[in-house]
Amino acid sequence: MRRVLAFLPPLIWALLAMGGCGGPVAPPDDVLRLGLASGPRNLDPRLATDATSERVNRLLYARLVELDERGLPQPGLATWEPITPTHYRFTLGAAGRTFADGLRLVAEDVVATFESILDPAMGSPHRATLGLIETVASDGPERIDFHLSAPDPLFPAYLGIGILPAAGIAAGHPFQRAPLGSGPFRFVAWPEPGRLRLARRADGQRFELVAVRDPSVRVMKLLRGEIDMLQNDLSPELVGLLRGRAEVQVRRRDGVNFSYLGFNLEDPATRQLAVREAIAQAIDRDAIIRYLFQGAARPAAAIFPPEHWVGAALSPPAYDPAAARAQLAAAGFGPSNPLRLVYKSSSDPFRLRLAAVLQAQLAAVGIELEIRSYDWGTFFGDVQAGRFQLYGLTWVGVRIPDIFRYAFHSASLPPDGANRGRYRSARVDDLIERARGEPDLAVQADLYRAIQRQLLADLPYIPLWYEDQVFVARRDIEGYRLAADGNLDGLARVARCAAPAAP
């Protein structure tokens, strides 16, 4: 307990000292408020790339296809059948067929959505994934035919993108700021960047998504009743504090979002495999999980956890400081010529503490790590632009193995994908191409496992861990389902109960 209390920010100490509810509680109203570390940046599902935007877009737009817990495709708006290996026919069902403006979603809306994604002028980050679509056409109001340039038995899984109205696309409607979909929520207002207002279409319940960057302030607002719910982006110490408060409830589950260290492979130092291996061997991830995360994570060796349908039985790089020093020496680094690297991070307090731990562990083997932290927008912009030597990030909501094409294929350098570290491997390119064309899903899974083994050998990323998902709410909130990937779908059922349950 003393270790936990020692890390509490001064703001939380002040709140604890006030006792009780910490002052006047905001009066209850008909709005449920969710506190977020950052707000969405783009509410057009064809263009969004940040995790918050994609999570909010899932609420606003319905999709042809959903994914199950293992990452395999299931019907969403539509069912499908393969007519030939390169011809898929989708038939729209009854649910989710009404846009928020009252118009009915039909096949032409699906066609317009995917044709716009495939238009180079749109600049959609999904274009590379969907580039195998040669044509998409409607056959009446309920049916859509996709013709592919090559067979891909996993093709339906790529269609988990929100459907927009064709009329809005044709008119140049600003979906990124005024979204219009057929999902369970409708857009109400976006009065400022950190405050988004939505309404649940089933019952009119109003929601406000409030961005509060500082986690201590977010917790304070929860304890004061100004915010009803929080999800993730909280340090273990803050979660421990909240577990001891009678007015809130805390829930946790295993997560699947993959945290990693990424390298610039065009940098003279980090392009060397021996350097990347040395860094991997210098990191004691078990100690970090035990002491910094207080057990709220599990080690990772690959993007997909073992329970995913392409999950591989791999072990993370072993902690071995002596081997790390030997690798550095082989690369020409040592006491007289220390390796100096710049690590970029967001300015989140917990991420900075994590960066400091990594800095100390690398210093123990002779690597001097300079930490540079930025607000989220600047940091992520630098990563997207390739302005880094070394950075730490998390892939959020990744469910389909086409991530390997998007993030590691040599043809996916930005802006054509997310190969931000400029990784190039003829073997990985070949495995990606073979996997996409393999008709047998079992064989395809083996090819994707081979890709993961090769990535673990080449280390364009150092795999770290999958962090747990955490949901914290006021005692009178009920019905929220916490997802393994941290999506916000639980808002579709959450409600404020008439009388708070006893703690």
Side-chain angles (χ1 to χ4, degrees):
M1 183 63 179
R2 289 180 180 175
R3 179 182 292 131
V4 172
L5 294 177
F7 286 110
L8 292 181
L11 186 60
I12 296 301
W13 273 113
L15 183 61
L16 283 172
M18 295 173 71
C21 65
V25 176
D29 55 25
D30 63 347
V31 178
L32 291 175
R33 293 178 173 86
L34 173 68
L36 301 171
S38 61
R41 303 172 69 185
N42 191 319
L43 296 182
D44 185 333
R46 301 169 300 173
L47 297 172
T49 56
D50 65 289
T52 303
S53 296
E54 293 189 357
R55 286 167 170 164
V56 175
N57 284 335
R58 282 185 57 84
L59 304 177
L60 295 166
Y61 299 89
R63 300 156 293 280
L64 289 183
V65 176
E66 300 289 351
L67 299 176
D68 65 16
E69 288 289 325
R70 296 183 61 229
L72 291 169
Q74 303 293 325
L77 282 170
T79 56
W80 64 87
E81 58 176 328
I83 307 302
T84 72
T86 58
H87 177 194
Y88 282 80
R89 176 166 293 160
F90 285 74
T91 303
L92 294 170
R97 295 281 303 279
T98 305
F99 286 112
D101 62 358
L103 294 179
R104 186 161 176 77
L105 188 155
V106 296
E108 284 296 337
D109 300 306
V110 177
V111 172
T113 296
F114 286 99
E115 284 187 338
S116 66
I117 291 171
L118 295 171
D119 181 356
M122 166 62 64
S124 171
H126 303 290
R127 181 169 174 261
T129 297
L130 298 173
L132 78 167
I133 298 175
E134 282 197 332
T135 62
V136 52
S138 60
D139 181 10
E142 314 294 321
R143 199 155 61 187
I144 309 100
D145 287 311
F146 288 88
H147 291 272
L148 312 182
S149 59
D152 188 340
L154 200 58
F155 171 70
Y158 306 154
L159 304 184
I161 298 170
I163 303 302
L164 293 77
I169 293 173
H173 179 83
F175 292 101
Q176 64 270 26
R177 295 293 304 174
L180 177 59
S182 65
F185 287 76
R186 65 176 176 84
F187 172 76
V188 175
W190 202 347
E192 55 186 296
R195 192 173 298 273
L196 178 67
R197 293 171 183 155
L198 308 176
R200 192 163 56 197
R201 296 174 65 188
D203 58 4
Q205 171 66 56
R206 298 257 173 159
F207 289 81
E208 196 167 73
L209 309 186
V210 184
V212 182
R213 186 176 65 180
D214 189 291
S216 300
V217 177
R218 225 178 306 134
V219 167
M220 181 188 73
K221 287 180 175 291
L222 177 78
L223 293 178
R224 290 176 61 91
E226 298 171 18
I227 287 175
D228 300 292
M229 299 167 281
L230 304 177
Q231 181 170 295
N232 296 330
D233 299 302
L234 299 171
S235 70
E237 293 79 32
L238 288 175
V239 174
L241 162 70
L242 291 167
R243 286 189 184 279
R245 301 288 295 198
E247 65 269 45
V248 299
Q249 53 182 304
V250 179
R251 283 191 282 140
R252 196 174 92 180
R253 66 166 293 176
D254 283 349
V256 297
N257 295 329
F258 170 73
S259 294
Y260 65 96
L261 299 184
F263 295 97
N264 185 339
L265 300 185
E266 293 182 344
D267 179 85
T270 54
R271 71 187 302 171
Q272 300 182 59
L273 178 58
V275 166
R276 302 196 300 275
E277 288 178 335
I279 295 171
Q281 292 163 335
I283 295 172
D284 188 349
R285 58 180 46 72
D286 289 339
I288 293 173
I289 290 172
R290 180 178 179 184
Y291 295 110
L292 190 62
F293 284 94
Q294 296 182 16
R298 52 180 172 149
I303 287 183
F304 294 106
E307 62 268 23
H308 191 276
W309 74 276
V310 301
L314 300 173
S315 298
Y319 173 56
D320 191 339
R325 294 187 194 96
Q327 292 276 24
L328 290 172
F333 298 102
S336 61
N337 180 36
L339 174 61
R340 296 182 175 93
L341 298 174
V342 174
Y343 175 83
K344 289 193 173 183
S345 168
S346 74
S347 56
D348 176 85
F350 182 73
R351 300 301 152 186
L352 288 178
R353 284 172 49 203
L354 172 59
V357 171
L358 293 173
Q359 183 184 52
Q361 291 188 349
L362 296 187
V365 301
I367 300 173
E368 297 179 8
L369 192 69
E370 177 187 346
I371 299 169
R372 295 182 186 173
S373 65
Y374 306 86
D375 66 87
W376 170 254
T378 302
F379 165 60
F380 192 55
D382 280 357
V383 171
Q384 289 179 304
R387 293 190 293 267
F388 59 83
Q389 269 188 308
L390 176 64
Y391 69 91
L393 256 183
T394 299
W395 276 110
V396 173
V398 173
R399 306 293 302 281
I400 58 175
D402 200 67
I403 183 65
F404 298 118
R405 174 180 295 276
Y406 182 56
F408 299 110
H409 198 288
S410 59
S412 295
L413 305 184
D416 297 320
N419 187 350
R420 297 155 184 155
R422 277 63 180 174
Y423 171 69
R424 295 173 176 88
S425 166
R427 172 169 166 74
V428 168
D429 286 354
D430 177 63
L431 287 168
I432 289 170
E433 299 300 338
R434 287 167 55 196
R436 168 166 275 190
E438 173 54 54
D440 187 317
L441 280 182
V443 176
Q444 193 180 70
D446 286 339
L447 291 169
Y448 283 124
R449 293 185 186 109
I451 292 171
Q452 292 170 86
R453 287 192 293 272
Q454 189 63 49
L455 293 174
L456 190 60
D458 292 346
L459 290 178
Y461 289 177
I462 291 178
L464 296 176
W465 41 69
Y466 311 107
E467 294 181 32
D468 288 0
Q469 301 291 337
V470 178
F471 176 72
V472 187
R474 301 286 301 177
R475 185 63 63 177
D476 60 351
I477 298 298
E478 61 182 11
Y480 192 89
R481 180 180 177 273
L482 186 57
D485 65 358
N487 67 49
L488 302 178
D489 295 6
L491 294 180
R493 294 181 176 272
V494 74
R496 193 193 307 278
C497 56

